[in-house]
Amino acid sequence: MATITNFLSKPPSSLATFPKINNSLCFPHSFIPFVTKPKALTKKLETNRTYFITKAAAVSGTAKKVESDERVQKVHSIEEFDEALRMAKNKLVVVEYAASHSYHSKKIYPFMVDLSRTCNDVDFLLVMGDESEKTRELCEREKIEQVPHFSFYKSMEKIHEEEGIGPDVLMGDVLYYGDNHSGVVQLHSREDVEKLIADHKADHKLIVLDVGLKHCGPCVKVYPTVVKLSKQMVDTVVFARMNGDENDSCMAFLKDMNVVEVPTFLFIRDGDICGRYVGSGKGELIGEILRYQGVRVT
């Protein structure tokens, strides 16, 4: 769990304050001295880049379609990178920084390709840091020293970053920062919460409100479970989410609800808060939901 005391007094001022996620299944990362690579290697690394893309596609079983249906955009310069972020506007942009000789870059890439085909409202970019001097300059500007490295952007602002992660964490990050289409209702103010409660007073459905922060590791970890439960319990439970540090209204709501650690799940029925669960345990969360639905859990 993460304590939100510091967020209540002062929002994070830079990406350096955001907690990183630790995952036992993470891929190790490689140290890549992008800036110090000699120019003489550029042509050879260009060839390796092609091998990387073909090899990664082969792992996912779609080598023949890689050129026709792949939605991952290859970026070769700072100008192309900035233009891609501008064109994305307020959509989530996921960038993988990789290297031609990195085994773990090759290993994670097919999973990003798969995500790109299922998440149509998210843009995916690939930067091969050792491809050329231009990509090295881009990595230097973005302060990328180790690969695989993933950065997440919205409205041209970096909102999150990870190093050496595995497929499960990557999927969780994409869901958490780019979810616009699941059954989880996205709330952005106290008024949104009040409207949601009013809408479900008549049907007596249990509302499960997931309260978190934008850059909270446990919040990201548990969110895929929230999405899955929202599909499985659609007839009886309404799932919603609010990030307390999104704006002043959300933060005021957290303070009024006495939320001091995240993630916190508020259980609401008939307009009243009937309980809460603090933590990111999948089993515990499911047990609490069933309990507030009147199901005996032994």
Side-chain angles (χ1 to χ4, degrees), residues 36-266:
T36 59
K37 289 282 185 179
K39 291 186 177 182
L41 293 181
T42 302
K43 184 175 181 180
K44 181 178 179 181
L45 293 175
E46 178 77 12
T47 302
N48 286 341
R49 177 181 65 85
T50 304
Y51 168 79
F52 165 77
I53 295 172
T54 304
K55 181 69 173 180
V59 174
S60 63
T62 56
K64 292 183 180 180
K65 292 184 178 181
V66 68
E67 294 298 333
S68 60
D69 67 355
E70 185 182 329
R71 290 190 62 251
V72 178
Q73 178 184 348
K74 281 67 177 184
V75 174
H76 309 288
S77 66
I78 290 176
E79 293 75 19
E80 289 183 13
F81 181 84
D82 291 344
E83 179 62 18
L85 294 187
R86 276 193 294 269
M87 293 297 293
K89 298 181 180 178
N90 63 343
K91 291 170 61 177
L92 177 68
V93 180
V94 180
V95 184
E96 179 187 358
Y97 297 91
S100 57
H101 66 273
S102 169
Y103 168 79
H104 300 295
S105 294
K106 297 182 178 76
K107 190 77 173 178
I108 191 68
Y109 181 70
F111 296 99
M112 187 171 78
V113 172
D114 289 342
L115 283 173
S116 74
R117 292 170 181 160
T118 57
C119 301
N120 294 324
D121 55 349
V122 179
D123 288 348
F124 293 82
L125 308 181
L126 174 67
V127 178
M128 297 300 295
D130 55 355
E131 175 188 284
S132 68
E133 283 300 313
K134 289 185 177 181
T135 57
R136 291 188 185 103
E137 290 172 2
L138 172 56
C139 290
E140 182 180 13
R141 188 189 75 171
E142 297 299 310
K143 297 180 172 57
I144 309 300
E145 296 181 345
Q146 297 175 321
V147 295
H149 183 111
F150 288 88
S151 293
F152 300 78
Y153 298 81
K154 267 190 176 180
S155 302
M156 298 192 71
E157 177 187 356
K158 186 187 291 185
I159 60 173
H160 185 63
E161 61 181 356
E162 300 271 17
E163 283 183 351
I165 60 175
D168 290 343
V169 176
L170 176 60
M171 182 183 71
D173 285 346
V174 173
L175 275 177
Y176 192 75
Y177 293 106
D179 183 17
N180 296 312
H181 52 76
S182 79
V184 181
V185 182
Q186 308 296 315
L187 305 177
H188 308 286
S189 66
R190 176 187 294 274
E191 290 72 25
D192 288 347
V193 178
E194 293 172 351
K195 182 178 184 304
L196 181 69
I197 292 174
D199 289 345
H200 292 283
K201 275 188 176 181
D203 60 23
H204 306 294
K205 283 188 176 182
L206 177 68
I207 298 174
V208 178
L209 175 53
D210 175 8
V211 181
L213 298 172
K214 291 180 181 178
H215 309 286
C216 160
C219 301
V220 176
K221 177 184 176 182
V222 76
Y223 192 66
T225 297
V226 175
V227 173
K228 184 179 293 186
L229 291 175
S230 72
K231 297 175 182 178
Q232 296 173 343
M233 300 181 173
V234 64
D235 295 329
T236 56
V237 181
V238 177
F239 287 83
R241 174 177 72 158
M242 171 184 282
N243 282 325
D245 52 348
E246 181 173 339
N247 55 50
D248 292 340
S249 176
C250 292
M251 188 57 72
F253 176 79
L254 263 67
K255 293 176 68 176
D256 291 344
M257 295 298 104
N258 197 29
V259 174
V260 295
E261 290 183 309
V262 291
T264 289
F265 293 86
L266 301 176

Side-chain angles (χ1 to χ4, degrees), residues 6-7 10-19 157 214-215 245 251:
N6 292 335
F7 285 89
K10 182 179 179 182
S13 59
S14 69
L15 193 65
T17 64
F18 300 153
E157 177 187 356
K214 291 180 181 178
H215 309 286
D245 52 348
M251 188 57 72

